[in-house]
Amino acid sequence: MHRLKQLVHRSPHVHLRTTSLCSSLWQHLRFKSQAPAERYGLKKRFSTAEATAETREPARMREKTLTMATLNPQVKAVEYAVRGPIVIKAGDIERSLQEGVKQPFTEVIKANIGDAHAMGQQPITFVRQVVALCCFPELLDSPSFPEDAKQRAQRILQDCGGQSLGSYSASQGVDCVRQDIADYITQRDQGVPADWNNIYLTTGASDGIMSILKLLVSGQGKSRTGVMIPIPQYPLYSATISELEAVHINYYLDEANCWALDIEELQRAYLTAKQHCQPRVLCIINPGNPTGQVQSKKCIEEVLHFAYEENLFVMADEVYQDNVYSPDCQFHSFKKVLYEMGPEYFNNVELASFHSTSKGYTGECGFRGGYMEVLNMDPEVKAQLVKLLSVRLCPPVSGQAAMDVIVNPPKVHEPSYAQFAKEKSSVLDALAHKASLTEQILNSVPGIKCNPVQGAMYAFPQIFIPPRAIQEAQELSIAPDMLYCLKLLEETGICVVPGSGFGQREGTYHFRMTILPSPEKLKVLLEKVKEFHLRFLAEYSQLEPQISKTNQDQHREMSNQPD
């Protein structure tokens, strides 16, 4: 390099070329001396371990794009009590038990959600056989599977792309499954016709409910869609309404009359809401969740007449249609009642009804299978519904297969019928027994009052909470029944959901519990609830020197004790 510089000074005429050559050589030598990553323009920041070792300076954190300040406010408004804070706390306690932390109990009993198999219910053999054959068709050659299961699996596979359950289906669902659902509805409703073109397979009933609500929500200000929902209600409805920025219209079920639906209360809620929104939708859950009531045919007629008069779209959540336990009650589908009211009603009232694999006697929650039947929808809107459903491609095809088995079970003459009928009746008989047991034991506890569990899978007892406990809850900025349920969980390991998560009349308190645990475990659960409630009353009554006359009366009334 030194000799090159001398040459430049002696020969100015070669200055430009030499300078260029010098520069090139210098760059080459510098390139050779660099680390491999640097030679090709890769800075050391890509070698994070090395950079950290050399600089030992903390990396500057970039401001996040998604924060609570920028989060969609409608997502913040969504609440889902069934998997809310109580359940998160139960999970924490369960993990601590597994790690050996001492608790005043040995297990957490999750009575917060209607998950039958998680509570120990065994699958229906025929459902699993057909789905297994669909998933692994090589089993069709196995003598271990009955012929009626094989025939159903083959029929489903023939309607699947490539004869595989792993292919997408049409957005509305597999054709033969939709046809079987239409046949099932016709048979269930004693000959009322069902058109398979009105059937849409869904990812559980929830997917269908949310899809229909998306179609219905529109307008601004006083023209914004109002959605009428029962209180207490299943939190899916309030959560979806919040997410869509629709208007909640609460109508209260009559707790004193076994949670019956009162038409005068519907009218009150409707007329009040008309002042600030446009009521367009009426939601009914029958049998009820969380309340366990089964609506009478007369009640359903009144509801449908009201919907007809006020031009409301009716959404009938009928996922518990197989879960009716009271001998005095019977399930009536909204569609069948609408048909029997005559063509003026049947050809005009817009109705979407929903069913699912998750409930009934199968309890196949994980398959996420379901369907909806939609009546009297405007043809152009129907096309928009298909478009909306096509965005999510299709529901799980394995769930569609499970739904098919539920609506097309073994017939009397088929080889699987005897075992299927035995398993089905065993599940439903056990649920009926547990419904009665739950009601009896809860009603034996002073300060707890439980309506008959006529259907579904839950009890929703009213609980007396002393004024001192209410005051403590207010100081903690939580609902009084949330305080109650937290203490119940911490002292007994029992996880139930506070009634405030479902809605309730002001000044009343409840919790929802499932009746799904085994009879033995359910007895333990109910006895623990009884013992806890008595301790809770004693603790907070001692702290309360003078309970008001109103609270004394309420306590006596709920306890069914004489003055």
Side-chain angles (χ1 to χ4, degrees), residues 429-443:
D429 289 348
L431 285 169
H433 168 68
K434 291 186 286 188
S436 175
L437 179 70
T438 301
E439 177 197 345
Q440 289 173 11
I441 294 181
L442 288 176
N443 279 330

Side-chain angles (χ1 to χ4, degrees), residues 107-112 119 489 492-496 517 521 524-525 528:
E107 66 172 332
V108 173
I109 303 177
K110 293 181 179 177
N112 61 293
M119 291 285 99
L489 173 64
T492 69
I494 294 170
C495 179
V496 297
K521 186 166 284 189
V524 171
L525 184 157
K528 283 188 172 185

Side-chain angles (χ1 to χ4, degrees), residues 96-387:
S96 74
L97 281 171
Q98 293 167 355
E99 293 166 1
V101 177
K102 295 294 184 184
Q103 299 284 359
F105 44 84
T106 57
E107 66 172 332
V108 173
I109 303 177
K110 293 181 179 177
N112 61 293
I113 194 166
D115 190 349
H117 292 192
M119 291 285 99
Q121 180 178 310
Q122 294 303 302
I124 299 295
T125 302
F126 191 72
V127 173
R128 290 299 181 90
Q129 285 175 331
V130 175
V131 175
L133 289 163
C134 288
C135 290
F136 194 59
E138 285 82 351
L139 294 172
L140 290 165
D141 297 326
S142 170
S144 300
F145 289 79
E147 285 303 312
D148 48 354
K150 292 179 180 180
Q151 289 166 5
R152 281 165 175 75
Q154 287 169 329
R155 180 167 176 267
I156 294 168
L157 289 172
Q158 284 169 3
D159 259 20
C160 293
Q163 297 193 3
S164 170
L165 217 61
S167 60
Y168 289 127
S169 75
S171 298
Q172 300 98 311
V174 176
D175 283 355
C176 71
V177 178
R178 295 167 69 203
Q179 291 162 3
D180 286 344
I181 291 169
D183 292 342
Y184 160 79
I185 292 171
T186 300
Q187 183 179 9
R188 179 200 68 188
D189 293 342
Q190 299 173 318
V192 178
D195 182 351
W196 71 279
N197 291 299
N198 293 331
I199 306 296
Y200 302 84
L201 274 297
T202 57
T203 306
S206 303
D207 173 45
I209 290 165
M210 290 188 285
S211 296
I212 295 295
L213 284 173
K214 283 179 184 177
L215 295 179
L216 285 157
V217 175
S218 65
Q220 296 296 329
K222 287 191 174 183
S223 67
R224 190 64 174 170
T225 295
V227 183
M228 302 185 71
I229 57 173
I231 298 296
Q233 52 95 33
Y234 179 51
L236 164 70
Y237 291 92
S238 55
T240 305
I241 293 166
S242 294
E243 184 180 349
L244 297 175
E245 291 187 88
V247 179
H248 299 248
I249 305 174
N250 297 336
Y251 66 89
Y252 290 89
L253 301 176
D254 185 0
E255 185 171 11
N257 192 21
C258 204
W259 299 111
L261 200 166
D262 178 26
I263 198 68
E264 290 184 3
E265 170 60 15
L266 272 185
Q267 292 167 340
R268 179 208 62 78
Y270 176 85
L271 292 173
T272 302
K274 283 271 289 183
Q275 299 173 26
H276 61 269
C277 71
Q278 179 56 57
R280 289 194 180 94
V281 194
L282 173 58
C283 301
I284 300 99
I285 309 172
N286 182 48
N289 174 12
T291 45
Q293 87 286 3
V294 179
Q295 301 294 1
S296 68
K297 182 179 179 181
K298 181 177 182 295
C299 172
I300 295 171
E301 288 173 344
E302 291 177 343
V303 169
L304 289 170
H305 177 73
F306 173 76
Y308 174 83
E309 291 291 323
E310 305 299 348
N311 199 25
L312 297 171
F313 191 109
V314 178
M315 296 177 63
D317 184 339
E318 299 176 333
V319 300
Y320 298 100
Q321 59 190 258
D322 288 311
N323 301 104
V324 177
Y325 315 123
S326 173
D328 300 325
C329 296
Q330 180 183 347
F331 170 74
H332 300 277
S333 78
F334 269 70
K335 181 189 176 183
K336 182 172 185 286
V337 174
L338 187 65
Y339 180 83
E340 291 171 346
M341 290 173 72
E344 179 71 16
Y345 290 89
F346 188 67
N347 296 329
N348 284 289
V349 174
E350 296 155 279
L351 170 67
S353 53
F354 307 90
H355 197 16
S356 169
T357 62
S358 302
K359 309 306 175 185
Y361 56 90
T362 56
E364 292 284 7
C365 302
F367 278 124
R368 305 308 300 131
Y371 75 78
M372 59 182 175
E373 182 185 22
V374 183
L375 301 181
N376 298 321
M377 179 173 278
D378 180 285
E380 290 184 337
V381 175
K382 202 171 181 180
Q384 293 296 311
L385 172 60
V386 174
K387 179 186 74 174

Side-chain angles (χ1 to χ4, degrees), residues 37-100:
E38 292 181 13
R39 291 179 192 172
Y40 300 99
L42 301 177
K43 295 185 178 180
K44 277 200 172 186
R45 66 186 177 88
F46 289 103
S47 180
T48 54
E50 201 174 327
T52 302
E54 286 188 11
T55 64
R56 298 190 182 277
E57 293 180 4
R60 185 177 67 84
M61 294 300 291
R62 179 180 67 84
E63 183 180 343
K64 293 188 183 298
T65 300
L66 182 60
T67 65
M68 288 303 291
T70 60
L71 179 68
N72 183 338
Q74 273 58 61
V75 173
K76 293 181 191 176
V78 169
E79 293 184 4
Y80 190 65
V82 174
R83 296 198 174 194
I86 291 280
V87 184
I88 295 170
K89 176 79 171 175
D92 293 340
I93 293 174
E94 200 167 36
R95 282 186 290 276
S96 74
L97 281 171
Q98 293 167 355
E99 293 166 1

Side-chain angles (χ1 to χ4, degrees), residues 445-467:
V445 185
I448 296 182
K449 184 177 182 181
C450 183
N451 273 323
V453 183
Q454 297 174 336
M457 297 177 172
Y458 315 97
F460 196 67
Q462 184 177 157
I463 51 176
F464 172 76
I465 297 184

